[in-house]
Amino acid sequence: MWKSLYIDPAKCTGCLQCEMACSYEHTGVINPSDSLIKVFNFEHEGRKVPYTCTQCTDAWCMHSCPVDAIRLDLTTGAKMVFEDTCVGCKVCTIACPFGTVNYNQATGKVQKCDLCEGDPACAKACPTGAITYIDANWTGLTRMQAWAAKANTPASAA
């Protein structure tokens, strides 16, 4: 059974451990700007929300790629970007309705969460359990829409 990241915004303290762990896992350097997960700051509500690719079942990024550079990893279920195939056209960045596929100016390729080969650094680093790695049947488009609705609920109403 595949697993996916589950994000509980109510548990996030904004410590950025997930961003630091992700950047270190992928680049060998602790630099949150290189992270594939981002923590958004909703200052007016006084809360932080981690945000990354949910590995949608019907991955629009993967289906839109004209050169088949985004492919399903049959072991983890992650939609992987193959840099050797990617031409940097950015079609996938437009296709993703959640904005979690990003263009990397330094490489001229796109990048997105790859679930760290089935052992996500962000989930391991999260001290509050705001990011967990769970059964993938509970994620995807429907899950993302529910999460987005919850994240847009004012903190006082939660």
Side-chain angles (χ1 to χ4, degrees):
M1 173 53 55
W2 288 335
K3 296 172 83 176
S4 190
L5 293 173
Y6 168 66
I7 297 173
D8 184 348
K11 293 182 179 179
C12 181
T13 63
C15 70
L16 306 182
Q17 291 294 311
C18 57
E19 289 188 3
M20 291 186 278
C22 178
S23 67
Y24 187 76
E25 177 73 21
H26 289 93
T27 68
V29 177
I30 295 174
N31 184 352
S33 67
D34 289 335
S35 176
L36 302 177
I37 187 167
K38 300 294 181 193
V39 177
F40 290 119
N41 182 9
F42 293 93
E43 219 168 287
H44 62 285
E45 295 177 13
R47 74 176 155 175
K48 318 283 193 226
V49 178
Y51 193 71
T52 194
C53 177
T54 61
Q55 310 298 336
C56 298
T57 301
D58 188 22
W60 298 344
C61 62
M62 185 171 70
H63 296 301
S64 69
C65 182
V67 295
D68 196 32
I70 301 176
R71 293 178 232 138
L72 177 66
D73 180 320
L74 295 176
T75 304
T76 65
K79 284 47 173 202
M80 306 282 294
V81 175
F82 286 81
E83 283 194 13
D84 59 332
T85 307
C86 179
V87 295
C89 69
K90 305 180 205 165
V91 171
C92 57
T93 66
I94 297 164
C96 176
F98 308 112
T100 59
V101 182
N102 298 293
Y103 182 74
N104 182 330
Q105 189 72 35
T107 64
K109 311 287 182 174
V110 297
Q111 58 187 16
K112 60 179 286 310
C113 176
D114 60 6
L115 297 177
C116 299
E117 298 182 11
D119 192 21
C122 60
K124 290 190 305 187
C126 182
T128 64
I131 305 168
T132 52
Y133 194 47
I134 64 165
D135 182 330
N137 286 335
W138 205 71
T139 60
L141 180 59
T142 304
R143 168 71 196 110
M144 187 64 161
Q145 289 170 332
W147 176 83
K150 183 177 179 180
N152 286 329
T153 304
S156 60

